[in-house]
Amino acid sequence: MKLSQWIARIVAGTLGSLVAISCATAADESRVAVFAADGSETSGPLQSLSHESLTLAGRISKWSDVVWVRFERSVADLPQEPRGSAIWLANGDRLIARPLAIQDEQLRAAWLRFSELPEFAVPLESVRGVSLSLPQSRGRRDEIAAWLFDRKAAVDELRLINGDAVAGELTGWRAASITLKSAGTEIRLPNSEVRDIGFNPDLLALPEPQELCWLVSLRDGSRITLLASKSRVDATTLKAAHVSGIAWDIPLEAVFEMRVLRGKAVFLSDLIPLESRHSPFLPGSREWPVRRDRTAAGQPLRLGGQEFPKGLGMHSRSTVTYDLAEKYRAFQALVGLDDTTVGRGTATCAVDIDGRRVFEQLALNRAQAPQRLPLIDVVGARRLTLTVDFGELGDSQDYVNWCDAVLLRKGENEK
């Protein structure tokens, strides 16, 4: 049942007003699940939602006290695989939208699924790259994302449908063609011949906001980071204020998950580790650094068929240590072998607190469902260490993901 079917009345108001959402019969209720910064998890009908708080099962929670919210609907409403075309932003956001042209240092685009919404413009300095024609294969799509985020060359680069690549400076993009200056020569290519565009990474500029944000996952495969203080809920619409300055009106029924950034919970991938080490299985083998919000291979994090925007990607044998400074109360994560391992690979993973092992999973493999760690007590702790070690096949396919790895801060009255 869609969200629009169970919204019965809306109370619209001023900046701090709530939008009340009344539910239908108990059998028809759409539900949400909320994981809070005190470690509790609640599921039930959503009673109200605003930019300041939400109410669930009679409990009012400020957004700063929330880790994530998941809208529970039918299997048919689960997020779709990205289709058509996509835009990747400097901060990792992904828009399932059709790029149209560059005008006045902005990339004009149109949503694919939300065709009723007007075109929008993204500051060009916020755009990492685009794909004009996403492959049907998930593996090919993941390769595009890895290529865009790993690019270091200070040039624009076009990858063509025929497999060729051209590097230089993108000087124009109109409805029918793209112009690139390469080695002193201007090249004009029809849009139909271009598959992907990677923009000069040295020109990216999307400052990280210091205020509370929502990382919103949409059902079309998009992920957008919004300023909570400037976003609103109006009737059945999320009036979204993106960190780049774009404003969108997004149907609430299109929202799948909302994660809270810079609240009382801190995602490990937003912290700089004290130490990170990788020890290869064979001398001289490839190094596998710990990746933030990506797998060890640089691709999107996936466990159990679901993609996660936040987490750590590690490869055996690796360790990573974080400074807790006695500021947190608990740690939690969902751990497993990435879906790309397709049945191959085994590994051991462990969690140590101040040198004391508090969690260990031996012979981790794809036959097992991803495991949610128990809420691990870290009160008074100074160090958190995650370890991924070799399995039965050495380091083969040992792509271990720690998804939604999060530290929960102490309350104001906790010592």
Side-chain angles (χ1 to χ4, degrees):
M1 183 176 182
K2 292 184 177 180
L3 187 63
S4 58
Q5 294 175 289
W6 59 267
I7 296 183
R9 64 183 172 84
I10 304 297
V11 181
T14 58
L15 185 69
S17 65
L18 293 179
V19 176
I21 303 174
S22 62
C23 301
T25 62
D28 292 332
E29 287 176 352
S30 290
R31 301 168 67 84
V32 300
V34 177
F35 181 47
D38 64 3
S40 64
E41 188 167 348
T42 309
S43 180
L46 181 65
Q47 295 167 290
S48 66
L49 175 69
S50 79
H51 73 284
E52 293 181 328
S53 64
L54 59 87
T55 305
L56 177 69
R59 175 180 175 180
I60 300 175
S61 299
K62 294 181 179 180
W63 279 106
S64 60
D65 296 325
V66 173
V67 182
W68 52 252
V69 177
R70 181 172 298 119
F71 292 81
E72 300 176 339
R73 301 181 183 124
S74 67
V75 174
D77 284 333
L78 292 177
Q80 301 174 354
E81 291 283 346
R83 290 288 186 265
S85 53
I87 302 169
W88 282 268
L89 303 186
N91 65 346
D93 284 3
R94 179 179 65 200
L95 313 178
I96 305 306
R98 183 173 68 257
L100 301 174
I102 291 177
Q103 184 177 3
D104 299 328
E105 296 299 315
Q106 294 185 315
L107 176 65
R108 289 180 38 241
W111 290 104
L112 293 180
R113 180 164 175 177
F114 315 128
S115 57
E116 71 281 4
L117 298 183
E119 294 178 6
F120 59 92
V122 188
L124 198 57
E125 63 185 8
S126 301
V127 181
R128 184 175 292 275
V130 303
S131 179
L132 301 181
S133 180
L134 285 172
Q136 291 293 312
S137 163
R138 175 189 285 180
R140 293 275 307 282
R141 294 195 303 271
D142 289 351
E143 183 274 330
I144 294 171
W147 170 70
L148 286 173
F149 283 88
D150 287 339
R151 290 185 67 243
K152 297 295 189 294
V155 293
D156 301 320
E157 185 175 354
L158 276 59
R159 301 204 302 186
L160 309 184
I161 295 293
N162 65 6
D164 290 345
V166 186
E169 180 185 358
L170 196 150
T171 56
W173 185 347
R174 299 182 182 277
S177 64
I178 296 171
T179 306
L180 187 80
K181 188 174 183 179
S182 179
T185 302
E186 191 168 80
I187 303 170
R188 188 181 299 274
L189 295 165
N191 287 350
S192 59
E193 294 184 8
V194 179
R195 192 187 72 187
D196 311 310
I197 303 174
F199 291 99
N200 185 342
D202 284 0
L203 302 181
L204 293 176
L206 184 56
E208 183 175 341
Q210 299 305 307
E211 62 182 277
L212 188 139
C213 293
W214 297 328
L215 177 54
V216 179
S217 297
L218 302 180
R219 295 184 183 280
D220 67 346
S222 297
R223 290 198 304 266
I224 52 177
T225 305
L226 308 180
L227 298 172
S229 66
K230 296 182 179 180
S231 300
R232 297 288 182 271
V233 178
D234 180 12
T236 59
T237 301
L238 172 61
K239 291 189 170 296
H242 191 258
V243 292
S244 67
I246 318 169
W248 293 299
D249 287 351
I250 297 173
L252 271 177
E253 64 182 13
V255 177
F256 174 60
E257 292 177 324
M258 299 172 70
R259 289 172 174 80
V260 178
L261 309 180
R262 281 167 288 283
K264 291 184 180 177
V266 178
F267 290 92
L268 276 191
S269 57
D270 292 334
L271 297 177
I272 303 299
L274 275 178
E275 184 180 52
S276 179
R277 292 184 179 180
H278 174 253
S279 303
F281 185 68
L282 297 173
S285 297
R286 170 181 173 175
E287 290 288 327
W288 293 94
V290 175
R291 297 273 194 145
R292 301 162 62 186
D293 300 332
R294 293 192 285 161
T295 69
Q299 299 179 351
L301 297 161
R302 289 193 186 88
L303 290 179
Q306 183 178 342
E307 186 175 332
F308 292 81
K310 301 297 293 180
L312 299 176
M314 298 177 65
H315 197 282
S316 61
R317 182 184 191 271
S318 296
T319 61
V320 60
T321 299
Y322 292 88
D323 181 14
L324 302 185
E326 302 182 1
K327 295 190 299 186
Y328 303 96
R329 62 187 300 172
F331 169 70
Q332 192 180 70
L334 182 71
V335 65
L337 284 181
D338 186 77
D339 286 0
T340 58
T341 57
V342 292
R344 298 186 296 273
T346 59
T348 294
C349 63
V351 179
D352 293 318
I353 303 297
D354 288 341
R356 178 174 57 90
R357 184 139 299 182
V358 295
F359 172 84
E360 186 172 44
Q361 178 65 51
L362 302 174
L364 187 71
N365 59 61
R366 277 294 309 282
Q368 304 167 339
Q371 182 170 350
R372 183 166 296 282
L373 275 61
L375 204 61
I376 295 175
D377 185 350
V378 298
V379 174
R382 302 188 63 84
R383 299 287 185 271
L384 165 69
T385 300
L386 306 181
T387 299
V388 171
D389 212 339
F390 305 123
E392 296 175 357
L393 300 177
D395 64 351
S396 176
Q397 295 288 299
D398 285 359
Y399 302 111
V400 175
N401 299 338
W402 303 82
C403 295
D404 280 343
V406 65
L407 287 163
L408 310 181
R409 294 185 190 273
K410 291 181 181 179
E412 294 180 359
N413 297 323
E414 292 180 281
K415 296 182 179 181

